[in-house]
Amino acid sequence: EAGVAQSPRYKIIEKRQSVAFWCNPISGHATLYWYQQILGQGPKLLIQFQNNGVVDDSQLPKDRFSAERLKGVDSTLKIQPAKLEDSAVYLCASSAPGPRLYEQYFGPGTRLTVT
Amino acid sequence: LAKTTQPISMDSYEGQEVNITCSHNNIATNDYITWYQQFPSQGPRFIIQGYKTKVTNEVASLFIPADRKSSTLSLPRVSLSDTAVYYCLVGAGTALIFGKGTTLSVSS
């Protein structure tokens, strides 16, 4: 079974530029999550999708971050404009419906450096 | 969501059993206790989840006392490859709130 795919793996941009991250969840996983992990800290949930609808985006900085999950499969997270404090690893995760919904499968992440 | 407290770091040697305790005094009736493992440059990986008493799988055991105010993740006979950050999470839904975790260092 293929895992959660993310691209790119690394990205370096200057502040005020824009950037987009892509995620392809495990096939059949209806729930998709985006997390931000700053060095030395645990991941922080940014947004959660159920199919193509948003379940929770309470911690998403909506003035600069946006995310979409068209057709309920792939998802894109965008930052525009980026700030220095956005430097972090952006993790995508997915989970399957049913009794193991709590078990999330994470991708390798995209390491973003904002200079 | 209940706040969790766990040691910042632990050291062990290969072959030893490691027990990482997590405190969650304000755990709610509907909350489950979940542990994740994270290696450098990788996303977290689910280890185990429990509600009460003891849960065991092929990787670890989770001990939860009757009052559920704490839990202990037990890793039998650790190896160098068990060096990682271990997160204890408490909650009822699918939204995970990670703390800083416990960095386990295993030496030979």
Side-chain angles (χ1 to χ4, degrees):
Chain A
E1 178 182 78
V4 175
Q6 292 188 247
S7 68
R9 291 296 312 276
Y10 305 91
K11 189 74 175 179
I12 301 174
I13 62 173
E14 296 182 350
K15 59 183 179 182
R16 292 186 289 273
Q17 286 187 325
S18 63
V19 64
F21 313 125
W22 173 83
C23 172
N24 181 240
I26 293 173
S27 177
H29 282 197
T31 309
L32 184 147
Y33 315 78
W34 283 102
Y35 290 85
Q36 178 193 59
Q37 186 171 24
I38 293 172
L39 186 64
Q41 300 182 19
K44 182 183 83 170
L45 178 67
L46 293 176
I47 188 168
Q48 175 182 348
F49 291 95
Q50 178 72 24
N51 296 309
N52 60 351
V54 176
V55 174
D56 181 0
D57 64 355
S58 58
Q59 298 201 81
L60 186 73
K62 299 180 185 63
D63 58 334
R64 298 185 300 107
F65 287 65
S66 65
E68 60 181 11
R69 190 183 184 197
L70 300 177
K71 301 180 181 179
V73 181
D74 293 6
S75 178
T76 302
L77 177 69
K78 297 180 181 178
I79 307 175
Q80 181 179 9
K83 293 184 176 181
L84 295 177
E85 58 260 37
D86 297 332
S87 293
V89 175
Y90 290 85
L91 295 160
C92 179
S94 67
S95 60
R100 298 184 72 85
L101 180 62
Y102 56 80
E103 185 172 341
Q104 296 186 17
Y105 294 82
F106 284 79
T110 296
R111 182 177 298 277
L112 173 67
T113 301
V114 183
T115 62
Chain B
L1 292 173
K3 180 181 178 180
T4 60
T5 302
Q6 53 184 123
I8 293 175
S9 63
M10 295 182 68
D11 296 316
S12 183
Y13 292 97
E14 284 189 292
Q16 290 188 331
E17 178 185 70
V18 171
N19 296 309
I20 305 175
T21 297
C22 179
S23 172
H24 28 81
N25 292 319
N26 297 321
I27 189 169
T29 303
N30 295 333
D31 286 345
Y32 281 76
I33 300 155
T34 309
W35 287 80
Y36 276 76
Q37 173 193 56
Q38 187 175 27
F39 298 113
S41 300
Q42 293 186 26
R45 182 176 72 105
F46 172 85
I47 300 176
I48 198 166
Q49 185 185 72
Y51 183 80
K52 62 180 178 181
T53 63
K54 176 184 175 182
V55 180
T56 298
N57 61 21
E58 64 278 7
V59 177
S61 294
L62 178 60
F63 299 91
I64 306 169
D67 66 5
R68 303 200 328 121
K69 293 184 182 299
S70 66
S71 59
T72 299
L73 175 72
S74 181
L75 304 172
R77 299 182 58 80
V78 295
S79 64
L80 296 176
S81 62
D82 291 317
T83 294
V85 178
Y86 292 82
Y87 297 98
C88 167
L89 302 96
V90 173
T94 57
L96 301 179
I97 296 181
F98 289 83
K100 291 190 175 182
T102 297
T103 299
L104 173 64
S105 299
V106 181
S107 304
S108 58

